[in-house]
Every structure is written in structure tokens, then in C-alpha cells.
């Protein structure tokens, strides 16, 4: 499963509470796994959080997304392995070089 992969990569600890991790991962990744690119992912997130375009719905949806994000940060101990950080930094640097060159 994806949780096992995250444990193997060192993102999640081996003793993580799977009953908390699996539903949050499912909610976060299910729109992405459906495919369709970034625009489709954005549409799925807006639908999931009830953002219909009105200011009130957008604010409420953003607050719900923030709450989910804070739940992940507070309830699930995760870490970004050093090699992921180095790869991310390298990709951002290469993107910067490509955009300016």
C-alpha cells in the first residue's frame, strides 16, 4: 500500500497510526489519482470542499482545507528525508536556470 511505501521511504515512521493516515491520504490523493491534470485536480478539490465560486463558500472551503492540513501536521508524525529535500532544491534550481536562460 501507499502507507507502506511512505514508511519505506522514511516519510512516515514504522509505528504510525494507519487508522489516521489512510483516510487523510485517501482524501488528499483521490482527486489527484483520478487523472486529468492540474485543472481537473483543482475542480475536484473545489467540489470536495464546496467551493462554488462565492466568497463565503471559498472562505469556508479554504478553512476546511487548512483544518485538514493542520490535522495532518499535528496528528501524523512525518518527515521529509534529506534526499527528498536535496532533490527538490535541485529541481527548483534547474527550473530557475531554465526560466532565465
Amino acid at each position: 500500500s501507499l502507507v507502506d511505501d511512505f514508511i519505506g521511504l522514511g516519510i512516515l515512521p514504522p509505528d504510525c497510526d494507519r487508522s489516521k493516515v489512510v483516510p487523510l491520504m485517501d482524501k488528499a490523493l483521490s482527486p489527484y489519482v483520478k487523472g486529468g491534470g492540474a485543472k481537473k485536480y483543482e475542480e475536484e478539490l473545489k467540489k470536495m470542499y464546496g467551493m462554488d465560486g462565492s466568497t463565503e463558500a471559498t472562505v469556508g472551503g479554504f478553512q476546511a482545507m487548512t483544518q485538514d492540513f493542520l490535522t495532518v501536521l499535528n496528528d501524523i508524525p512525518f518527515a521529509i528525508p534529506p534526499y527528498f529535500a536535496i532533490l527538490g532544491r535541485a529541481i527548483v534550481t534547474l527550473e530557475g536556470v531554465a526560466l532565465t536562460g
Side-chain angles (χ1 to χ4, degrees), residues 46 49-62:
K46 285 181 177 179
Y49 287 103
M51 296 182 201
D52 61 6
S54 68
T55 304
E56 296 83 19
T58 301
V59 169
F62 183 75

Side-chain angles (χ1 to χ4, degrees), residues 6-26:
F6 276 28
I7 290 171
L9 290 169
I11 296 171
L12 291 172
D15 62 344
C16 68
D17 185 358
R18 290 173 183 263
S19 65
K20 287 184 180 180
V21 173
V22 171
L24 291 170
M25 287 180 77
D26 182 49

Side-chain angles (χ1 to χ4, degrees), residues 27-101:
K27 188 172 185 177
L29 298 176
S30 62
Y32 183 72
V33 174
K34 290 180 182 177
K39 201 63 168 167
K40 182 71 174 170
Y41 182 70
E42 179 184 1
E43 291 170 10
E44 288 290 326
L45 280 179
K46 285 181 177 179
K47 186 171 25 170
M48 182 186 303
Y49 287 103
M51 296 182 201
D52 61 6
S54 68
T55 304
E56 296 83 19
T58 301
V59 169
F62 183 75
Q63 288 173 341
M65 282 183 2
T66 303
Q67 187 59 46
D68 285 347
F69 183 67
L70 289 174
T71 299
V72 171
L73 288 177
N74 292 326
D75 294 350
I76 300 172
F78 71 95
I80 304 298
Y83 56 90
F84 270 33
I86 290 170
L87 285 172
R89 188 173 183 182
I91 290 169
V92 169
T93 301
L94 288 172
E95 180 187 27
V97 169
L99 291 174
T100 59

